């Protein structure tokens, strides 16, 4: 009996181990790209010569356009197929690095500038694209954000303007001129309020001050290294540049420039306020223009960043971010195919299709913007003096949270000095 | 009776699974808590107790998240237990209406936490939310607050959602516990002329102690694990006022890429839950009686 039981237990263990090994080897086959994931023998035979590359990003709303573009790419490159996977941006920021590690996912991947770019770079997951011809298809001025120590590690695809979007038609109707100084900005806000219009819809519950902080501080702290200096201990949040920014937020909040309960309003509600013309501006950025137009096709939109200084002191007119940076995974075994896909995306006609169907500005040269909103705002790319989004220049997530938290604190009623003190304490705890 | 040694072989599959899915991750967390691993690179250095020292003495956000978590836990444990117990007492009889009501109260438990978060985010919306609209309709405008945007009350708004989410589950445990109390004890109490309060105090509550132990311990653990609800509803904001330990660990590990420090907080977190649960068991066990 004992012997039989022992043999039975041994057999069970053997079967479990064999099953595990079998599962592992099938995984390896699948990962090698030699077999088709659909599983049918016929289709496996048909696709034996096809190399499947994985493309991962966070723009779920662009899937339909990408599906079409991928179809065109696969037609032009019959030996390559593209498997696209999208993730919510929060999840992508947290998990992309893990996915890239073994090289089976994200042959072509996207990266945010700032912390994520630095982390992926430190882990060595970027392939150097410096010698690739397609790099020349991108506006030279936008490329710097994807560079490290002289190497082009990623190419930014989208040009986002992280500053409030405003209802141009409403301004024309009310006879309001676009303000060019702090006093004009205040007068503009008062006129809007007199007409029962909330000047700015602020989605504090989900987006928070992430976007608004950039344009609020752009002329209060003109030094673009300010956050690098904060993280090295040379600057503090208790100095004028940040206290002034917090005071400006306090002024906006206490004088009704933002809607009531701004910290509890989510982005859908804030967008609806602008679409219903209850609010004149949306405190997010260009990436919401297409959605606003969907909610109200009559809206004529433009950018109107807050001017918090006098006209003579204005140095920056707005904020931009070259983002959605396309890159090739260094651990990928299909680098050439991955590069071919990026090259395809950087063709002006393909980029134009992507820009017009998603309502976004791109960093690719010779893009033909067809939509009215994009045409109305494309002059910001070349003609306006914008600066790179300061928030993305904060490397430590804890420092970024402290900076944003101090704004939330002020919007919640804390004094700017107290909020700055509390945030500075967190900064000091997190810098070397 | 002598147990055959062969029987120990049957422990092996379970032990293997337990080792892979519990012991290994636990010991890994302890191991990494003494390093500065970023979660991605292959290299890391040992930093001794530095991560633990930082958590205890040099991280105000961690201290704040511990405080928030305790507030959240106390609110949930107290209200969830009381509400579940009251409803269980009213719904203890097996009638058709009670069956239906028990199912109704249990219903939120089967929803996904993200759906619950989505529903309650809209309930709490300060301008469009149904809660403020109802309060305004019945003339209680002064109670129509910025539920998730006000740092002073957001943690309680989240805790209330947690109570709504799980009270039905605890109700079922209490109903089962009430059914296990012998009916003749109530008859004897009635004959003796005991009041309803005396009956509850001397019979129902003491004999419900095993169920209460489960409910309170489980609710405590649930309160510490309420990651998904908090993450989806407030993300720990505004200004960390709803940051609890689990969301802070996520923040440190996956946004700050400091897995070493996140592991140290996880180990502290594990010890805090174990200690609180042990104390609860000890206190509640001492209250148990049998007739």
């Amino acid at each position: 009996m004992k012997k039989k039981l022992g043999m039975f237990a041994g057999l069970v263990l053997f079967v479990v181990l064999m099953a595990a090994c079998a599962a592992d080897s099938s995984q390896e086959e699948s990962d090698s790209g030699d077999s088709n994931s659909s599983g049918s023998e016929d289709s496996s035979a048909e696709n034996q010569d096809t190399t499947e590359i994985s493309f991962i990003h966070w723009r779920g709303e662009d899937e339909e356009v990408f599906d079409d573009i991928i179809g065109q790419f696969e037609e032009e490159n019959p030996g390559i197929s593209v498997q696209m996977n999208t993730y919510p941006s929060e999840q992508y920021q947290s998990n992309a690095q893990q996915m890239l590690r073994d090289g089976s996912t994200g042959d072509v991947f996207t990266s945010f500038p700032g912390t994520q770019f630095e982390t992926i770079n430190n882990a060595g997951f970027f392939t150097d694209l410096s010698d690739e011809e397609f790099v020349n298809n991108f506006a030279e001025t936008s490329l710097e954000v994807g560079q490290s120590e002289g190497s082009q590690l990623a190419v930014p695809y989208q040009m986002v303007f992280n500053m409030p979007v405003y209802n141009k038609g409403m301004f024309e109707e009310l006879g309001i001129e676009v303000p060019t100084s702090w006093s004009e900005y205040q007068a503009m806000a008062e006129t809007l309020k007199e007409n029962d219009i909330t000047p700015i819809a602020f989605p504090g519950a989900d987006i928070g001050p992430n976007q608004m902080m950039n344009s609020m501080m752009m002329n209060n702290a003109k030094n673009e290294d300010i956050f690098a200096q904060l993280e090295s201990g040379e600057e503090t949040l208790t100095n004028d540049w940040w206290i002034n920014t917090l005071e400006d937020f306090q002024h906006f909040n206490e004088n009704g420039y933002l809607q009531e309960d701004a910290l509890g309003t989510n982005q859908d509600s804030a967008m609806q306020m602008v679409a219903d013309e209850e609010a004149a501006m949306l405190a997010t950025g260009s990436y919401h223009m297409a959605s606003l137009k969907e909610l109200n096709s009559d809206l004529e939109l433009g950018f109107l960043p807050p001017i918090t200084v006098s006209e003579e002191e204005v140095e920056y007119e707005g904020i931009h971010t070259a983002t959605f940076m396309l890159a090739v995974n260094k651990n990928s075994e299909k680098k050439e195919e991955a590069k071919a896909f990026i090259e395809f995306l950087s063709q002006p006609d393909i980029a134009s299709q992507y820009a017009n169907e998603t309502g976004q500005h791109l960093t690719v040269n010779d893009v033909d913007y067809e939509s009215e909103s994009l045409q109305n705002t494309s002059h910001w790319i070349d003609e306006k003096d914008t600066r790179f989004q300061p928030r993305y220049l904060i490397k430590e997530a804890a420092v970024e949270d402290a900076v944003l938290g101090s704004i939330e604190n002020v919007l919640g009623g804390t004094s700017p000095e107290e909020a700055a003190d509390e945030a500075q304490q967190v900064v000091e705890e997190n810098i070397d | 009776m002598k147990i055959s040694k062969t029987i120990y072989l049957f422990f092996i599959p379970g032990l293997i699974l337990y080792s892979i899915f519990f012991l290994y991750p636990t010991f890994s967390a302890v191991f990494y808590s003494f390093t500065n691993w970023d979660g991605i690179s292959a290299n890391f250095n040992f930093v001794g107790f530095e991560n633990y020292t930082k958590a205890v003495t040099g991280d105000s956000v961690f201290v704040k998240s511990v405080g928030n978590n305790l507030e959240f836990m106390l609110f949930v444990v107290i209200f969830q237990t009381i509400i579940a117990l009251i409803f269980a007492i009213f719904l203890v009889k097996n009638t058709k209406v009670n069956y239906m009501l028990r199912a109704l109260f249990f219903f939120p438990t089967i929803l996904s936490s993200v759906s619950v978060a989505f529903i309650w985010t809209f309930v709490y919306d300060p301008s469009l939310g149904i809660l403020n609209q109802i309060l305004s309709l019945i003339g209680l405008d002064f109670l129509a607050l910025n539920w998730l945007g006000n740092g002073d009350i957001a943690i309680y708004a989240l805790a209330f959602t947690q109570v709504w989410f799980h009270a039905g589950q605890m109700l079922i445990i209490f109903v089962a516990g009430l059914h296990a109390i012998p009916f003749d004890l109530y008859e004897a109490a009635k004959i003796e002329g005991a009041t309803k309060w005396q009956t509850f105090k001397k019979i129902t509550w003491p004999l419900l102690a095993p169920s209460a132990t489960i409910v309170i311990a489980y609710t405590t653990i649930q309160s510490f694990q309420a990651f998904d609800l908090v993450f989806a509803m407030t993300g720990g904001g505004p200004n960390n006022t709803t940051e609890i330990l689990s969301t802070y660990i996520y923040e440190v590990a996956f946004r700050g890429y400091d897995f070493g420090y996140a592991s140290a907080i996880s180990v502290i977190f594990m010890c805090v839950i174990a200690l609180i649960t042990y104390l609860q068991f000890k206190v509640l066990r001492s209250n148990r009686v049998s007739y």
Side-chain angles (χ1 to χ4, degrees):
Chain A
M1 182 64 186
K2 267 188 199 173
K3 202 175 170 184
K4 274 184 185 173
L5 273 174
M7 278 175 67
F8 177 68
L11 189 67
V12 168
L13 205 63
F14 177 71
V15 170
V16 169
L17 284 172
M18 289 304 288
C21 293
D24 204 26
S25 62
S26 67
Q27 182 65 39
E28 277 169 23
E29 273 174 31
S30 161
D31 287 348
S32 71
D34 292 331
S35 67
N36 190 304
S37 57
S38 67
S40 116
E41 280 182 26
D42 288 347
S43 62
S44 290
E46 274 172 27
N47 291 304
Q48 262 179 354
D49 298 330
T50 303
T51 304
E52 184 180 278
I53 57 169
S54 154
F55 172 40
I56 56 170
H57 64 93
W58 66 83
R59 292 279 308 177
E61 56 271 57
D62 297 351
E63 265 188 17
E64 209 179 311
V65 186
F66 270 127
D67 277 337
D68 187 64
I69 290 173
I70 286 168
Q72 294 176 53
F73 173 75
E74 289 175 343
E75 211 169 291
E76 233 178 68
N77 299 272
I80 311 173
S81 66
V82 179
Q83 172 66 46
M84 175 174 64
N85 287 101
T86 59
Y87 305 86
S89 61
E90 276 274 336
Q91 196 186 333
Y92 191 85
Q93 280 200 342
S94 324
N95 299 339
Q97 298 73 259
Q98 308 293 339
M99 290 190 281
L100 297 173
R101 192 194 292 231
D102 74 348
S104 62
T105 307
D107 298 299
V108 177
F109 68 96
T110 49
S111 166
F112 286 92
T115 314
Q116 190 178 44
F117 178 78
E118 293 295 330
T119 309
I120 295 174
N121 188 21
N122 290 340
F125 294 158
F126 283 119
T127 300
D128 188 354
L129 303 175
S130 306
D131 298 330
E132 302 302 325
E133 265 184 40
F134 61 73
V135 173
N136 300 322
N137 296 347
F138 293 83
E140 209 180 326
T141 49
S142 68
L143 290 171
E144 195 185 336
V145 69
Q147 293 168 352
S148 176
E149 293 175 2
S151 299
Q152 191 70 48
L153 303 180
V155 280
Y157 199 50
Q158 296 174 358
M159 180 63 87
V160 173
F161 293 100
N162 316 76
M163 51 193 174
V165 175
Y166 83 110
N167 182 340
K168 281 176 96 169
M170 180 189 280
F171 272 52
E172 279 163 24
E173 209 172 288
L174 297 172
I176 305 173
E177 293 285 323
V178 170
T180 53
S181 66
W182 181 222
S183 54
E184 285 181 21
Y185 196 89
Q186 286 172 298
M188 170 212 74
E190 292 305 325
T191 309
L192 288 167
K193 280 163 59 188
E194 281 162 18
N195 286 279
D196 290 329
I197 293 162
T198 304
I200 304 169
F202 182 86
D206 37 26
I207 294 178
N210 294 21
Q211 306 299 330
M212 184 83 168
M213 73 158 261
N214 299 298
S215 45
M216 288 290 276
M217 66 166 284
M218 67 184 175
N219 286 307
N220 289 344
K222 291 169 192 163
N223 174 7
E224 295 203 57
D225 292 329
I226 197 86
F227 284 121
Q229 290 174 353
L230 177 71
E231 291 181 298
S232 66
E234 296 163 58
E235 254 306 340
T236 72
L237 292 174
T238 51
N239 282 344
D240 285 351
W241 66 279
W242 191 246
I243 295 282
N244 289 345
T245 304
L246 292 179
E247 281 171 352
D248 292 340
F249 268 107
Q250 188 183 38
H251 183 88
F252 274 46
N253 198 35
E254 289 181 352
N255 290 283
Y257 293 9
L258 312 179
Q259 81 280 15
E260 209 181 321
D261 298 329
L263 283 177
T265 307
N266 60 37
Q267 61 173 315
D268 293 332
S269 304
M271 281 167 67
Q272 198 60 56
M273 285 176 74
V274 177
D276 294 343
E277 307 201 56
E278 288 170 19
M281 289 175 261
L282 178 67
T284 57
S286 56
Y287 57 93
H288 271 149
M289 281 167 44
S291 308
L292 282 173
K293 288 287 277 183
E294 265 176 39
L295 291 170
N296 181 354
S297 57
D298 294 335
L299 288 178
E300 199 188 328
L301 301 168
F303 298 128
L304 181 46
I307 303 299
T308 58
V309 293
S310 64
E311 200 167 352
E312 308 80 63
E313 288 178 278
V314 173
E315 186 172 329
Y316 295 107
E317 294 171 285
I319 299 289
H320 73 263
T321 310
T323 183
F324 200 72
M325 302 203 290
L326 298 164
V328 174
N329 188 348
K330 197 164 191 178
N331 297 326
S332 164
E333 289 172 3
K334 305 155 198 166
K335 289 192 186 71
E336 290 314 309
E337 291 83 355
K339 288 173 187 171
F341 183 58
I342 297 181
E343 181 166 21
F344 186 77
L345 291 176
S346 70
Q347 299 305 311
D349 55 330
I350 296 298
S352 299
Q353 180 191 348
Y354 179 74
N356 290 313
E357 290 183 26
T358 61
Q360 291 175 102
H361 296 102
L362 297 194
T363 55
V364 176
N365 294 323
D366 305 322
V367 171
D368 185 15
Y369 296 113
E370 285 165 10
S371 87
E372 192 191 314
S373 292
L374 290 175
Q375 281 175 351
N376 282 343
T377 49
S378 59
H379 65 282
W380 280 83
I381 298 174
D382 307 314
E383 295 166 23
K384 295 280 188 176
D385 206 349
T386 59
R387 70 184 267 188
F388 184 74
Q389 181 180 176
R391 185 172 66 92
Y392 273 152
L393 298 173
I394 307 175
K395 290 183 178 170
E396 274 284 335
V399 173
E400 185 186 336
D401 287 347
V403 167
L404 295 169
S406 65
I407 300 171
E408 290 175 338
N409 233 350
V410 166
L411 296 178
T414 308
S415 74
E417 291 77 15
E418 203 182 317
D421 273 343
E422 195 185 308
Q424 181 58 31
Q425 189 193 334
V426 178
V427 170
E428 282 165 17
E429 286 167 357
N430 286 280
I431 57 175
D432 297 324
Chain B
M1 193 178 76
K2 198 179 172 187
I3 298 171
S4 161
K5 281 181 186 169
T6 319
I7 204 158
Y8 293 110
L9 283 172
F10 288 97
F11 293 144
I12 292 173
L15 198 63
I16 290 172
L17 292 175
Y18 185 74
S19 304
I20 293 172
F21 294 109
F22 183 76
L23 292 180
Y24 175 70
T26 306
F27 285 116
S28 291
V30 175
F31 173 79
Y32 286 118
S33 72
F34 294 105
T35 71
N36 64 355
W37 188 43
D38 65 4
I40 303 160
S41 313
N43 304 321
F44 53 80
N45 295 315
F46 283 94
V47 293
F49 283 93
E50 198 180 288
N51 289 327
Y52 290 95
T53 314
K54 182 185 174 186
V56 179
T57 61
D59 185 353
S60 50
V61 181
F62 171 71
V63 174
K64 199 171 181 179
S65 65
V66 172
N68 291 339
N69 217 145
L70 290 174
E71 275 181 60
F72 182 84
M73 183 205 77
L74 279 174
F75 185 99
V76 173
V77 168
I78 292 169
F79 285 94
Q80 190 161 294
T81 307
I82 292 172
I83 290 170
L85 181 61
I86 292 171
F87 277 74
I89 289 168
F90 281 111
L91 300 177
V92 68
K93 282 187 185 165
N94 289 334
T95 64
K96 277 184 183 172
V97 174
N98 284 357
Y99 281 139
M100 194 194 73
L101 287 172
R102 278 184 222 159
L104 198 68
F105 289 126
F106 188 76
F107 177 71
T109 310
I110 63 168
L111 297 174
S112 86
S113 46
V114 177
S115 309
V116 171
F118 193 70
I119 293 166
W120 279 89
T121 302
F122 279 98
V123 169
Y124 284 139
D125 189 286
S127 46
L128 305 170
I130 194 165
L131 180 58
N132 281 359
Q133 284 183 12
I134 291 173
L135 290 167
S136 299
L137 264 179
I138 57 175
L140 297 173
D141 298 61
F142 65 97
L143 283 179
L145 304 171
N146 184 3
W147 299 100
L148 298 176
N150 181 337
D152 295 329
I153 55 168
I155 193 77
Y156 301 109
L158 288 176
F160 183 80
T161 307
Q162 174 83 353
V163 171
W164 179 87
F165 192 13
H166 292 292
Q169 197 180 354
M170 303 308 150
L171 179 149
I172 299 299
I173 297 172
F174 274 134
V175 167
L178 287 168
H179 281 160
I181 300 174
F183 191 68
D184 48 2
L185 290 175
Y186 289 108
E187 281 182 331
K190 204 174 180 182
I191 292 164
E192 295 289 332
T195 62
K196 279 191 175 172
W197 172 243
Q198 285 172 325
T199 309
F200 176 80
K201 202 176 151 193
K202 299 284 183 187
I203 299 172
T204 309
W205 181 243
L207 290 173
L208 211 52
S211 306
T213 309
I214 294 167
V215 166
I216 292 172
Y218 191 51
T219 304
T220 306
I221 294 166
Q222 261 181 350
S223 312
F224 279 105
Q225 291 178 335
F227 171 83
D228 31 15
L229 209 58
V230 178
F231 189 72
M233 287 178 76
T234 63
N239 191 30
N240 302 318
T241 48
T242 60
E243 198 82 79
I244 58 171
L245 279 167
S246 54
T247 55
Y248 187 55
I249 289 169
Y250 176 86
E251 185 76 13
V252 171
F254 294 103
R255 278 200 63 230
Y257 307 111
D258 194 347
F259 271 67
Y261 184 47
S263 300
I265 304 174
S266 304
V267 173
I268 297 173
F269 183 28
M270 206 160 56
C271 295
V272 169
I273 296 184
L275 181 71
I276 292 175
T277 312
Y278 170 75
L279 290 174
Q280 283 176 343
F281 267 99
K282 202 147 187 191
V283 171
L284 290 164
R285 266 174 191 274
S286 67
N287 289 338
R288 280 189 193 180
V289 294
S290 54
Y291 294 107

